[in-house]
Amino acid sequence: MPDTFQQLADAVLAGRPATPDDALAVLRADDAALLAVVAAASRLRRAHFGNAVKVNYLVNLKSGLCQEDCGYCSQALGSAAPILKYSWLSRQDALGQAAAGLRGGAARVCLVASGRGPSDRDVAKVTELVGALKQEHPDVEVCACLGLLGDGQADRLRDAGVDAYNHNINTAESHHDAIVGTHTYADRVDTVEKAKDAGLSPCSGLIAGLGETDEQLVEALFALRELGSDSIPVNFLMPFDGTPFEGTWELTPARCVKILAMARFVCPDREVRIAGGREMHLRSLQPLALHVANSLFLGDYLTSEGQAAQADLELIRDGGFVVLGSAEERAQRPVDPAIRRRGAGTDVVPNA
C-alpha cells in the first residue's frame, strides 16, 4: 500500500491528474498507512511550495445577526450559540485588528462580514477600509468574504485593491440542501464565478464533518478543482452548542490529515489551508498536517478562539518550515543572476 501512494505522487508530478478513485483510496487508507500517505503527499507540497507556510489572519468585521440558516454556523439564523454579536467595526478598530495579524507574520488579511451578502453601502465600507489598510501596509494581500455578491460588486472590490474573494462551497452539491435552505449551491458557485470574472483570486473550500459520505467529500474537492479555486480552506466542523450540529463528532485526527492529503493529491498546486477546527480535531497531529498543507490561519477565527498565535509560529518553525514572506523565507529564494560588469569588454580587472 505505501508504494501505491508513492506511485500516485509520481503520476501527479508527471502531470496525470488524480481521479476520484485515487482520492477515495487516500481517504480510506488504513490509519497504519498514515505516514505513507503524508510522505507521498508531502512530495507534491514541497514541489510546489517548498518549505514555506502562508499565514493568514481573520478580521471579523461584523459578527452574528445573519439571516441565513446554515446549520453548521454559530452566526446563523436560529443559532443559540453564545457568541459575540456586533455590527460593523469602526475603521480604526478594523485596522488595528489587521495590524496585529500582520505583526504576527500574516501575509494575507481576510476581511469577513456575516450576512447573506453585502449591500452597496457595505461594499463602500469595505473598499474604504481596504484603501486605508493598503496605504498603511502596501504589501498586504487582502481577501474579502462578504457573502453572495451582486452584479458589479466584485469589480468594485477589485478596483479598491482587494486581491481575493472567499466564498466556500462548504460541501458537495449532493449534500448542500441537507445543511442549508436559504440559498442554493448554485448561488455559491455563482459568487465564486463573479469573483473570478472580476479578476479576483478565487478562494473556496469546504467543511468536513457535516454528515457527508466519503464520496461527497471527493465530490466537493473535484468541484473545487473544476471551479479553479486558487486557495482551498479545509475546515473541520466545530459543533457549537445551540446549532443543529451540536454534539456532532465524526472526525479523528488521522481522518483530518487524510482529508488534507486528499486535497493535495487532487489539487497539487493550489494553496491548501488548514482552517477552522484544526486545534480541536487535528490536535497533536497539527505538525504532521503541515507536511501536506501549506497555509493556515493565525490565532483566532470568526467566533471561536484558536491556540495562541505564538504557538502557531512555533508549530511552523519546529516542523522545519518558514513563514512565507519572512526574512528566513526570502533568504532561501533563488537569487537572480548578477550581470557581468567586469573583465572582457570592460576596463575593470577580470574576476580571476
Side-chain angles (χ1 to χ4, degrees):
M1 182 64 75
D3 288 344
T4 299
F5 301 122
Q6 290 295 344
Q7 290 164 4
L8 176 58
D10 288 339
V12 174
L13 286 167
R16 179 183 75 77
T19 67
D21 285 343
D22 293 329
L24 278 173
V26 172
L27 186 59
R28 292 173 173 171
D30 191 275
D31 285 354
L34 183 64
L35 292 182
V37 169
V38 171
S42 69
R43 292 174 55 202
L44 306 178
R45 184 244 197 271
R46 294 272 178 171
H48 293 286
F49 300 100
N51 69 334
V53 176
K54 187 170 185 176
V55 174
N56 306 264
Y57 189 74
L58 284 167
V59 178
N60 197 3
L61 298 175
K62 181 166 72 79
S63 183
L65 313 174
C66 183
Q67 63 268 50
E68 300 298 287
D69 68 353
C70 307
Y72 52 83
C73 185
S74 60
Q75 304 183 76
L77 179 70
S79 168
I83 62 168
L84 286 170
K85 297 179 181 180
Y86 52 85
S87 191
W88 290 86
L89 293 180
S90 70
R91 185 191 305 183
Q92 182 178 358
D93 285 347
L95 290 173
Q97 293 292 316
L102 294 172
R103 287 194 300 271
R108 174 180 283 191
V109 171
C110 304
L111 303 175
V112 187
S114 62
R116 178 178 177 84
S119 67
D120 287 340
R121 184 179 178 184
D122 293 337
V123 171
K125 289 178 182 177
V126 174
T127 57
E128 291 171 5
L129 172 60
V130 171
L133 180 58
K134 290 218 164 184
Q135 186 172 10
E136 293 185 13
H137 307 280
D139 296 330
V140 67
E141 283 186 21
V142 176
C143 179
C145 178
L146 311 173
L148 300 172
L149 290 174
D151 292 340
Q153 290 182 328
D155 298 280
R156 291 175 60 192
L157 293 169
R158 178 207 60 216
D159 292 345
V162 173
D163 301 286
Y165 195 82
N166 167 259
H167 197 65
N168 296 329
I169 62 169
N170 288 326
T171 194
E173 182 175 11
S174 62
H175 190 54
H176 179 272
D177 291 351
I179 64 171
V180 59
T182 48
H183 59 264
T184 67
Y185 180 85
D187 290 332
R188 288 190 167 269
V189 170
D190 177 68
T191 283
V192 177
E193 295 289 358
K194 279 186 169 76
K196 286 171 56 179
D197 291 346
L200 296 171
S201 174
C203 172
S204 188
L206 55 82
I207 304 172
L210 294 171
E212 70 282 343
T213 65
D214 290 352
E215 289 81 4
Q216 285 169 329
L217 270 175
V218 172
E219 179 188 343
L221 270 173
F222 276 81
L224 291 168
R225 186 169 81 177
E226 182 67 23
L227 271 174
S229 182
D230 290 332
S231 49
I232 301 173
V234 178
N235 298 276
F236 305 107
L237 175 69
M238 290 187 277
F240 287 93
D241 289 346
T243 68
F245 280 93
E246 174 182 347
T248 301
W249 297 93
E250 298 182 346
L251 302 169
T252 65
R255 181 169 174 83
C256 292
V257 172
K258 284 182 276 191
I259 291 168
L260 291 165
M262 180 174 66
R264 177 59 65 207
F265 279 112
V266 174
C267 303
D269 59 348
R270 310 289 173 82
E271 177 187 339
V272 176
R273 185 182 311 156
I274 316 175
R278 66 177 164 92
E279 295 89 346
M280 68 168 57
H281 289 295
L282 281 165
R283 300 198 288 276
S284 62
L285 295 192
Q286 288 186 78
L288 189 65
L290 278 182
H291 288 274
V292 173
N294 66 297
S295 176
L296 53 69
F297 281 112
L298 178 77
D300 296 335
Y301 301 95
L302 296 177
T303 62
S304 65
E305 293 185 352
Q307 65 189 21
Q310 186 58 39
D312 289 336
L313 297 175
E314 290 172 358
L315 172 72
I316 293 169
R317 287 196 299 268
D318 292 351
F321 299 100
V322 293
V323 173
L324 183 68
S326 67
E328 294 84 358
E329 190 269 334
R330 291 195 300 271
Q332 67 185 20
R333 293 178 186 175
V335 178
D336 290 337
I339 303 300
R340 182 172 66 84
R341 305 294 183 191
R342 60 195 176 195
T346 76
D347 295 328
V348 182
V349 176
N351 182 27

